[in-house]
Amino acid sequence: MPIARNAASVALDGFELRTLHIPLVSPFTTSFGTESVREVIVVRALTADGDGWGEIVTQNAPLYSSEYTHGAWDVATRWLIPALLERHTLAPDEVAPVLEPFIGHRMAKAGLELAVLDAALRSEDRSLGEHLGAVRDRVPSGVSVGIQRDPAALVETVRDYLDEGYVRIKIKIKPGRDVDDTAAVRDAFGAIPLQVDANSAYTLADAHTLTELDRFDLLLIEQPLQEDDIVDHATLARQLRTPLCLDESIVSSKAAADALALGSASVVNIKAGRVGGYLEAVRVHDLCRDASVPVWCGGMLETGIGRAANAALAALPGFTLPGDVSASSRFYARDIVTEPAVLEDGHVRVPTGPGIGVDIDRSALEDFTVKKVVLRR
Ligand code: SMG
Ligand code: MG
C-alpha cells in the first residue's frame, strides 16, 4: 500500500496559544521530581479552511529536558510563530524547514507542526493515521507507573493497572529505588511484560546496579544515563543482557542513526515532541525499521490532542512493542477532548476522523486555561 505523506497547504491566518493547568488523578513521580498538575500549551492554528489543534508537551520545569513551558511559550510567540506567519500558505512538511534556523526547542516546534498538520488534514478530510502510514486500527496499551511510597505500594498500584487491562507495565526507577522495586513487581505478578525507566538518573559508575536488573528478564531498560551520554550508553549496553532503550537521547532521526551506529541502543522510544514533530518521528520509525530495531511510542502525559496523535503514530508497522499510549483516565479525570482515549481489551483505538480525529471540549478547554494569546498575520 503506498503511503501518502504529503498534505495540502493551508492559508495561515494566525495561531492561538493557551497554557492549561489540568489536575492529575494522582501525583506522578519520576527520578527527577513529582508532578500533580499538568502544565501544557495547546496550539490552535487559525486557517482560511478551519482550525487545527496541537499540543506542546513541555513540563513546567526543565527537568526531563532543557525545554520548559514558559520557555516554549516565549520562543513560540517571539520567534517560531512570527516566522511561520511570514508565509501566506504553508504545507505541514514546510513547518520544520521554516523553523530549522532556530536551534533546539523541538517540543515547541512539534506542537506548532501538529496544529498545521491537523488543519491541513481536516481540510482534506483525511486522518492523521492514514497520513502517517498506520497499519492498525488499535494499539496495545502500556502504562508508565511513577515511583511510589515503597515497593508494597508499587505492587498495589501495578495491580490496579493490570486489573484495568494494561498489557505492559513500565516502572520508574532511580538510585535506591531500583532492584527492590523491580523484584517486588516480578515476585507479585510473575512473567508480565515489564520494563523500567531511569530518566537519566545513573552514571556509568552505577553499572553494577543496572546489571543486577538483568535477572528480572525486563523488556528493556530506558535511558539510564544522561541525554548526551551516547558513548557511555554504548559501553553500558555491552555490559547488560537487558536491551537498552533510549528516550531523552534521541532528539532527531540523525541522533537515532548515530545511536544505532554506536550500539548505544537496541530499542528506541519515539516521542514526537522530543524529535520536533510527528513527521520527524516517522523518519525515526523508518530508519529503525530499516535497521530491524524495535520502537515504541513514548508519552508526555498528553491531553486528548497529543494522545490521539500518539495512537495514530503507534499504529505504524515498526511499533512492535506496546507504548505509553494509555487511556486518558490514567492521568486525567477530565480531558479537553469530547471523546477521550479509553482502554478496550488492553488497547487504545486509532481515531479515524479527519486530522487528529478528536474534537475539543470547549468548556473544558476554557476551564483549564490560565493564559491565552492570539497572534495574527
Ligand atoms: O504519557 O504515559 C505518559 C507518560 C510516560 O513515563 C512517561 N513519560 O521519560 O518516558 C518518560 C516520561 C516523560 C515524562 S515524565 C514527567
Ligand atoms: Mg522515558
Side-chain angles (χ1 to χ4, degrees), residues 135-219:
V135 295
R136 290 184 271 268
D137 55 13
R138 59 179 208 159
V139 296
S141 181
V143 63
S144 174
V145 185
I147 296 168
Q148 308 291 310
R149 192 179 58 249
D150 53 36
L154 174 64
V155 165
E156 290 321 305
T157 304
V158 168
R159 188 187 310 283
D160 289 344
Y161 288 127
L162 290 172
D163 288 347
E164 279 186 62
Y166 285 103
V167 301
R168 183 228 67 194
I169 299 293
K170 152 170 147 180
I171 62 170
K172 293 287 188 179
I173 58 167
K174 66 177 182 180
R177 293 299 304 275
D178 35 40
V179 176
D180 291 351
D181 281 50
T182 310
V185 174
R186 262 289 175 253
D187 288 349
F189 306 111
I192 57 164
L194 180 65
Q195 62 195 53
V196 298
D197 185 2
N199 287 109
S200 307
Y202 297 86
T203 71
L204 212 42
D206 301 308
H208 59 285
T209 304
L210 297 168
T211 54
E212 272 190 68
L213 296 173
D214 275 341
R215 69 183 153 98
F216 299 115
D217 284 318
L218 301 173
L219 290 169

Side-chain angles (χ1 to χ4, degrees), residues 64 197 199 222-223 245-250 269 271 274:
Y64 165 84
D197 185 2
N199 287 109
E222 182 179 347
Q223 196 72 37
C245 171
L246 289 179
D247 172 359
E248 284 89 329
S249 297
I250 307 298
N269 166 332
K271 288 178 181 166
R274 200 195 58 225

